[in-house]
Amino acid sequence: EWEIISGIVVETPEMLKVVALATGSKCIGKNQLSSSGDTINDCHAEVLVRRSLLHYLESEMVSSQPAIFSKTCANKFKLKENVKFHLYINQTPCGDASIFPIDTTDKSYQRLMARKRATITGKRNSPCDISDGGQPKRISSGGDTQRTGAKVVESSPIQDTNGEGQSYHVHNVLRTKPGRGQRTSSLSCSDKIAKWNVIGLQGALLSLLIEEPIYL
């Protein structure tokens, strides 16, 4: 019911095609990082689907009839006219994109919180939020904020207040993904998607072969 799935669709004048699909919600802690590069650090769906997209881009480059690329005079690849990429995620990405106000008087919100609480306690009482420890926590009347498990980076002078209601989180800060046990070193999906919107999806290696960045 709560599994996260992400996909990337390529749009051309002739077609809409799913070219990458992934699911996942795990991320390893700092103590599990590999210096030899043989471990995938971040297995969140949004990150895995981008890795899958890179495989698709590489397959297009070696194709005799690529659907999305043309060659330039500099012998590099460039997206054809009117080729677009769209990202789908069935939940908000971890990090700042998952922090938004909630009207706790809304009936659908109250039903959702009751279902979550019942999953943990086996009881059905008044609406409540779920704290980081997995136990029900009473919410303030009228307003709350959607929580994210992503933590503000340790080097930031601004940290979450963990206050009541909508003052629980601070905004517009870099966050690292939540992990079981030791903190992770991987930036939140919100931060990674923001980075892709600036430098592109193609990464450093393919930037040597592609003339212009590829954006969502």
Side-chain angles (χ1 to χ4, degrees):
E1 182 179 359
W2 306 107
E3 193 63 45
I4 300 173
I5 189 169
S6 182
I8 292 179
V9 173
V10 61
E11 176 187 357
T12 71
E14 295 79 27
M15 66 173 184
L16 284 168
K17 181 180 180 181
V18 178
V19 295
L21 191 67
T23 183
S25 58
K26 305 299 182 186
C27 189
I28 64 175
K30 292 180 181 179
N31 61 337
Q32 296 176 297
L33 296 176
S34 172
S35 59
S36 59
D38 57 357
T39 301
I40 297 178
N41 302 332
D42 188 345
C43 288
H44 279 215
E46 300 92 325
V47 175
L48 292 180
V49 81
R50 182 213 168 232
R51 293 173 69 98
S52 180
L53 174 68
L54 297 184
H55 178 74
Y56 168 73
L57 297 179
E58 291 165 4
S59 68
E60 279 287 292
M61 289 178 181
V62 299
S63 172
S64 59
Q65 294 182 317
I68 64 170
F69 284 126
S70 60
K71 277 291 193 73
T72 69
C73 57
N75 204 31
K76 287 190 173 184
F77 293 92
K78 183 179 180 180
L79 284 182
K80 294 179 179 179
E81 290 291 330
N82 300 317
V83 174
K84 300 177 182 178
F85 290 92
H86 307 279
L87 173 66
Y88 166 81
I89 316 164
N90 69 337
Q91 296 189 27
T92 53
C94 66
D96 271 23
S98 288
I99 303 172
F100 48 85
I102 297 174
D103 179 8
T104 57
T105 63
D106 182 76
K107 295 300 183 182
S108 60
Y109 171 78
Q110 292 179 358
R111 288 193 295 269
L112 176 63
M113 288 298 100
R115 287 175 57 194
K116 286 187 175 182
R117 186 194 67 254
T119 301
I120 295 175
T121 66
K123 298 179 181 180
R124 291 185 178 274
N125 294 314
S126 58
C128 60
D129 197 5
I130 304 302
S131 69
D132 290 340
Q135 297 298 319
K137 177 183 178 182
R138 184 72 58 179
I139 55 179
S140 57
S141 175
D144 198 0
T145 188
Q146 174 69 34
R147 313 284 169 85
T148 179
K151 308 298 183 184
V152 180
V153 294
E154 295 176 292
S155 60
S156 173
I158 303 173
Q159 297 290 323
D160 285 328
T161 63
N162 297 333
E164 292 294 326
Q166 295 184 10
S167 65
Y168 187 88
H169 285 303
V170 293
H171 300 270
N172 303 319
V173 292
L174 289 175
R175 296 177 179 273
T176 54
K177 286 184 166 68
R180 295 183 178 180
Q182 191 180 42
R183 288 185 65 151
T184 76
S185 295
S186 297
L187 287 177
S188 71
C189 288
S190 295
D191 294 321
K192 290 189 174 183
I193 293 172
K195 181 182 72 173
W196 300 339
N197 283 333
V198 175
I199 65 174
L201 294 159
Q202 70 287 334
L205 181 60
L206 292 187
S207 290
L208 301 174
L209 304 173
I210 298 175
E211 188 172 83
E212 297 176 350
I214 295 176
Y215 296 111
L216 293 168

